[in-house]
Amino acid sequence: METSVKVRTQMYIDGQWTEACSDAKSTILNPATGEVVAEVAYGGAQEAQQAVEAAYQAFPAWANSTADERAAILRQIYHLIIDKADRLAEIMTLEQGKPFEEAKGEVLWGAEFMLWYAEEARRVYGEIIPPSGHRQRLLVQRQPIGVVGAITPWNFPSSMITRKLAPALAAGCTVVVKPAPETPLSAIALFEIFEQAGLPRGVANLVLGDAQEIGSVLVSSEKVRKISFTGSTQVGKYLMEQSAKTVKKVSLELGGHAPYIVFNDADLDLAVDGLMINKFQNNGQTCICANRIFVHSEVADAFTVKLVEKVKGLKVGNGLDPANQVGPLIHQQALEKVMEHVQDAVSKGAVIVAGGQPLTEGEYARGNFYQPTVLCGVTPDMKVYREETFGPVAPIIVFNTDEEVVQMANDTPYGLAAYLYTRDLARTMRVSNELEYGMVGINASTLGYVQAPFGGIKQSGMGREGGRHGLEDYLEYKFLNLNF
Ligand code: ADP
């Protein structure tokens, strides 16, 4: 499990690799071993201001480049990411913990956004509208919105950056990225590629360090015209509120509390296999993973037996060992939250049918490991029913009628992803129509596709990433009334 990956540890501002003005550093720990992976530059307001200024200066030339010129660079970034996918994946496993193959899958998926938006950049069409007068033309053209502040989380350290940057750069925007403090190395490795691909200086900048200081510069600067954020609902609300002062556009991809509904006519094997990917990928640390598994009473026992058998077979451990399917949680706090949620559920009557304990012995001793867990008898008074656990816990709730399950599924302030398993077409259409969610998986447990709009409603956020819809978020309309 030895690794020899060498990574830079600086920020990237105005085309220069830069230390923090204060020389401050932050320590990046491997969540599987507790070992120090790197010491990276730790900046704040000053570096954020420099990055905003660089992006602001770079904007006019980038905005006025042709779509083909921008597409050529995005394509080059795509190819370089593919070439270096192993390196990027290893860096990700070291700092984030997810198994190497899963990390590589994320890197490759993240690269696809570059290719998709390289193509989509060429299709930013305007309109000609029938005029009200003679010798008049009403034209609508699309323009890039300006400098974008992109704030990203640690659960998908590579693809959350490319999913924002690809459409932003394709549209002609310039960007300041602030990645999560837990996973700066994946961001740095991407920026090495951006530099190599020939992205002009200042077009994409990377700032590391104090989230509040950097965030406050990004939201308050009049030079920043848009904030794109993926992270917690709490921070998202704060950023939206602060952005109001300069009337910035905001795109928010926030928390979820996905219902996973298994009806009595479902293909149970398909539903179990889907849940295994959906729930245990990234160790349950995704905003679209199933948090409440609603199973019809007639199939609840059969479903649970199948699920428990598979969950007990999962191999947990260091993600650099190819035998392991589930890695550690990101940090001690995350582990404590999972423990608290399970203890709370058990104290209120839930029954642990798989897992239910942290792993602390031998190879697990210095990492943040928790057994993949299934809980039965979950009720609405439990934390697992109300809050995002963000861990490898599958809480099962039994239901009887369609009306009842739709009501329970919608009984949350969140509205990101929902899933339903049924063979009944009428039920599929009725229930997916009634679910108050931005995305619904129907006999399907994956939702992230470069060509489709990913995002939530209610307190799960606003705006969409992916597809042609993802480009819209980075474009303004300009109306021209032309008389001749
Ligand atoms: P999580 O709890 O999953 O870490 P957060 O919402 O705290 O989710 O973090 C997501 C991203 O938001 C990270 O890059 C984090 O550093 C950043 N962040 C946290 N607080 C602020 C803030 N006040 N201003 C700007 N960014 C912030």
Side-chain angles (χ1 to χ4, degrees):
M1 284 192 214
E2 282 299 303
T3 166
S4 55
V5 177
K6 295 266 179 295
V7 207
R8 277 183 188 275
T9 55
Q10 297 117 318
M11 298 178 244
Y12 187 72
I13 300 172
D14 202 15
Q16 302 291 323
W17 291 99
T18 318
E19 292 294 348
C21 305
S22 67
D23 268 343
K25 303 276 182 206
S26 75
T27 304
I28 308 308
L29 298 178
N30 180 332
T33 63
E35 285 161 3
V36 174
V37 181
E39 303 269 340
V40 305
Y42 189 84
Q46 204 173 332
E47 291 81 1
Q49 258 145 12
Q50 288 166 1
V52 168
E53 191 56 37
Y56 188 71
Q57 295 300 333
F59 177 68
W62 185 247
N64 287 307
S65 61
T66 67
D68 269 357
E69 287 162 350
R70 296 194 297 278
I73 294 178
L74 293 188
R75 271 199 304 276
Q76 181 64 9
I77 293 172
Y78 165 77
H79 289 299
L80 286 169
I81 297 178
I82 301 290
D83 286 350
K84 293 175 195 273
D86 280 351
R87 170 185 156 77
L88 293 171
E90 195 171 342
I91 290 169
M92 194 190 300
T93 300
L94 283 172
E95 67 178 351
Q96 201 270 357
K98 68 177 69 175
F100 176 83
E101 278 307 318
E102 202 179 306
K104 191 168 170 183
E106 179 192 331
V107 167
L108 296 175
W109 177 61
E112 279 187 54
F113 287 97
M114 290 292 167
L115 191 57
W116 168 265
Y117 284 107
E119 292 161 353
E120 203 60 11
R122 300 159 143 182
R123 289 186 272 274
V124 177
Y125 301 129
E127 284 173 68
I128 302 176
I129 298 170
S132 305
H134 299 290
R135 300 168 67 84
Q136 185 186 31
R137 294 284 182 273
L138 304 182
L139 312 177
V140 180
Q141 82 187 53
R142 311 305 310 274
Q143 290 190 318
I145 193 164
V147 175
V148 175
I151 302 174
T152 57
W154 49 259
N155 59 347
F156 290 93
S158 191
S159 58
M160 292 304 103
I161 294 177
T162 55
R163 187 158 80 171
K164 295 189 190 309
L165 255 62
L169 298 178
C173 294
T174 56
V175 192
V176 176
V177 177
K178 194 213 84 65
E182 294 85 353
T183 56
L185 302 175
S186 293
I188 292 171
L190 279 176
F191 271 76
E192 288 176 342
I193 287 175
F194 299 161
E195 182 185 37
Q196 216 185 326
L199 199 65
R201 57 182 268 211
V203 170
N205 305 273
L206 176 68
V207 183
L208 309 171
D210 188 307
Q212 282 183 4
E213 277 193 25
I214 297 168
S216 128
V217 168
L218 293 180
V219 288
S220 62
S221 170
E222 294 197 357
K223 293 179 173 169
V224 176
R225 294 309 321 140
K226 177 183 171 73
I227 296 289
S228 177
F229 171 76
T230 300
S232 62
T233 296
Q234 185 196 357
V235 173
K237 285 179 183 174
Y238 161 80
L239 294 173
M240 188 175 170
E241 193 184 310
Q242 295 298 312
S243 294
K245 294 182 186 161
T246 48
V247 196
K248 286 188 206 334
K249 287 208 171 176
V250 287
S251 291
L252 303 172
E253 207 267 87
L254 310 177
H257 196 39
Y260 193 97
I261 307 173
V262 182
F263 289 98
N264 53 357
D265 64 336
D267 177 336
L268 292 189
D269 291 317
L270 190 70
V272 168
D273 289 348
L275 187 62
M276 292 303 293
I277 296 167
N278 177 283
K279 181 73 244 186
F280 297 103
Q281 187 195 38
N282 208 7
N283 210 359
Q285 302 173 111
T286 75
C287 47
I288 59 163
C289 75
N291 273 322
R292 295 164 298 152
I293 298 136
F294 296 106
V295 189
H296 193 277
S297 57
E298 285 168 16
V299 293
D301 287 348
F303 177 86
T304 307
V305 167
K306 284 175 191 280
L307 179 66
V308 166
E309 191 192 327
K310 295 221 164 169
V311 170
K312 284 185 172 167
L314 284 173
K315 273 195 65 80
V316 180
N318 189 324
L320 289 181
D321 181 341
N324 292 327
Q325 297 157 290
V326 178
L329 288 151
I330 187 73
H331 42 42
Q332 183 67 24
Q333 256 172 295
L335 179 63
E336 282 165 13
K337 184 175 183 191
V338 172
M339 288 162 63
E340 186 202 326
H341 275 204
V342 172
Q343 278 156 13
D344 170 80
V346 170
S347 75
K348 292 170 182 162
V351 177
I352 296 170
V353 286
Q357 292 295 329
L359 290 158
T360 53
E361 304 291 318
E363 62 169 305
Y364 301 120
R366 298 187 57 214
N368 313 312
F369 292 100
Y370 195 87
Q371 292 175 320
T373 297
V374 181
L375 297 175
C376 282
V378 169
T379 48
D381 55 331
M382 297 173 187
K383 285 186 179 170
V384 285
Y385 188 96
R386 295 280 166 206
E387 298 170 29
E388 218 179 351
T389 304
F390 237 58
V393 180
I396 296 182
I397 303 132
V398 174
F399 73 91
N400 286 303
T401 67
D402 291 17
E403 293 69 27
E404 177 193 13
V405 77
V406 168
Q407 187 276 325
M408 288 195 289
N410 288 339
D411 180 23
T412 165
Y414 295 106
L416 189 58
Y419 307 87
L420 58 106
Y421 281 76
T422 175
R423 291 177 168 109
D424 181 331
L425 184 58
R427 172 182 270 159
T428 298
M429 295 313 295
R430 194 177 60 247
V431 173
S432 53
N433 191 44
E434 288 169 358
L435 286 169
E436 295 166 355
Y437 287 85
M439 299 176 284
V440 181
I442 299 157
N443 300 321
S445 73
T446 52
L447 292 167
Y449 293 89
V450 289
Q451 65 272 43
F454 185 104
I457 61 170
K458 292 165 78 177
Q459 293 186 32
S460 287
M462 58 182 60
R464 291 294 180 272
E465 294 189 311
R468 66 176 177 78
H469 323 81
L471 199 55
E472 288 288 319
D473 278 18
Y474 295 94
L475 293 166
E476 291 281 19
Y477 291 103
K478 182 175 278 175
F479 163 54
L480 309 176
N481 175 7
L482 180 85
N483 288 266
F484 58 91

